């Protein structure tokens, strides 16, 4: 093989868009669920999934060649361990992340206009979907609900965040932008004397009320349907921002931190939890995702410290969790 061929081979795994899109199509059409009881041919799969049998067969044959699904007989497909992860009941939650009709798939489709972002510095989400990110979720209820579900998935990370701070037994924890309450549920379950408040947009909070009731902890939680750019309820003493600050450019991030600082008063704390430390292998990918979707960014500890300072806070402690999430314990600057 020539030096030229070696160079091409080194690029090839990085340039393929066929396999990633085929995988997302398989997830979106629920093929793995249809194969849960055993092999089926393409005609049967197409009839049950509402797809074209020839096109579906080509997609699945390609994926089988990549180690996803098995095609032991031409045109007949079965699950393997990799394809099992595409089932709706898989604990990995991968189908949720790959579904092109849900939030996860749309998030990836935003990258089709990455060139626009690079040329302008603007998020490409609006160029692809016609509205800024948060407005789109508000106007498309099913995608907004899928976003909430996606943010609540990943039990390991939610538990890690809940255990990533030593909550005092008397704490009243206010989860600001807390989605449907996955983090709060874990905090309340792990700390039976802690009380809590869930703050998010009204529709999300209503889903959170039901979710926390299902977890049996709603009686220790109050619910506030509002934006976090408005004054926050002042009943708490620990205000949590979990995977929130990275969604926003600096000016908005400072404003959110300032609202938390105002509500926390002279004795409260603001706990910032972010899922990606600068040392994490996924830091650069998520940094790019935040830009493309929202105009936000991942940050270093020094950068978070500066945002906190601008919001009237001081970072009193920093540590990482067992799965490398970053936790910053912020107190009023004058402490």
């Amino acid at each position: 093989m020539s030096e030229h061929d070696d160079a091409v081979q080194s690029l090839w795994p990085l340039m393929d868009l066929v396999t990633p899109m085929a995988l997302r199509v398989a997830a979106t059409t629920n093929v793995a669920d249809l194969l849960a009881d055993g092999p089926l041919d393409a005609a049967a799969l197409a009839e049950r999934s509402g797809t074209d049998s020839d096109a579906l067969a080509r997609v699945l044959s390609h994926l089988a060649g990549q180690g996803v699904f098995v095609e032991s007989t031409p045109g007949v497909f079965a699950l393997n361990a990799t394809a099992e992860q595409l089932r709706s009941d898989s604990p990995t939650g991968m189908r949720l992340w790959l579904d092109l009709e849900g939030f996860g798939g749309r998030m990836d489709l935003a990258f089709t206009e990455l060139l626009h972002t690079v040329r302008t510095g603007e998020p490409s989400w609006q160029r692809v979907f016609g509205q800024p990110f948060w407005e789109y979720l508000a106007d498309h209820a099913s995608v907004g609900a899928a976003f909430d579900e996606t943010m609540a998935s990943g039990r390991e990370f939610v538990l890690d965040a809940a255990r990533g701070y030593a909550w005092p037994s008397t704490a009243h924890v206010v989860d600001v932008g807390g989605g449907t309450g996955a983090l709060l549920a874990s905090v309340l379950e792990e700390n039976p004397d802690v009380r809590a408040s869930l703050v998010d947009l009204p529709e999300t909070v209503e889903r959170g009320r039901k979710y926390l009731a299902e977890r049996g902890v709603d009686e220790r939680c109050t619910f506030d349907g509002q934006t976090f750019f408005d004054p926050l309820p002042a009943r708490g003493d620990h205000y949590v921002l979990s995977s929130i600050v990275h969604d926003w450019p600096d000016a908005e991030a400072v404003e959110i931190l300032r609202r938390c600082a105002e509500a926390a008063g002279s004795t409260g704390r603001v706990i910032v939890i972010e899922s990606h430390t600068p040392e994490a292998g996924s830091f650069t990918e998520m940094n790019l995702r935040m830009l493309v979707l929202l105009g936000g960014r991942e940050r270093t500890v020094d950068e978070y410290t500066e945002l906190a300072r601008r919001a009237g806070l001081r970072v009193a402690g920093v540590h990482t969790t067992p799965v490398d999430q970053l936790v910053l314990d912020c107190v009023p600057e004058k402490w």
Side-chain angles (χ1 to χ4, degrees), residues 245-246 248-250 253 278 283 297-301 303-304 307:
V245 179
H246 75 162
W248 299 92
D250 286 357
F283 181 87
R297 66 186 311 122
E298 298 298 318
R299 295 176 173 92
T300 65
V301 171
E303 288 169 332
Y304 281 119
L307 293 182

Side-chain angles (χ1 to χ4, degrees), residues 69-151:
F69 299 104
V70 174
E71 187 179 13
S72 54
T73 303
V76 177
F77 301 95
L79 296 176
N80 57 11
T82 303
E84 287 277 357
Q85 297 180 62
L86 301 181
R87 290 179 54 174
S88 298
D89 59 359
S90 170
T92 65
M94 288 307 300
R95 202 200 79 80
L96 184 66
W97 282 97
L98 294 169
D99 183 2
L100 290 169
E101 295 175 341
F103 169 71
R106 280 175 168 82
M107 178 171 61
D108 291 337
L109 289 176
F111 275 86
T112 61
E113 286 288 350
L114 177 60
L115 182 59
H116 170 76
T117 295
V118 171
R119 283 177 169 164
T120 66
E122 300 171 352
S124 64
W125 178 281
Q126 180 170 351
R127 188 172 175 93
V128 174
F129 295 108
Q131 288 178 285
F133 184 84
W134 298 114
E135 290 180 19
Y136 183 91
L137 295 191
D139 287 347
H140 297 78
S142 63
V143 182
F147 171 78
D148 290 340
E149 186 180 359
T150 301
M151 294 303 100

Side-chain angles (χ1 to χ4, degrees), residues 11 23 146 156 180 318 326:
L11 270 181
L23 187 66
E156 177 188 5
T180 54
V318 180
L326 181 68

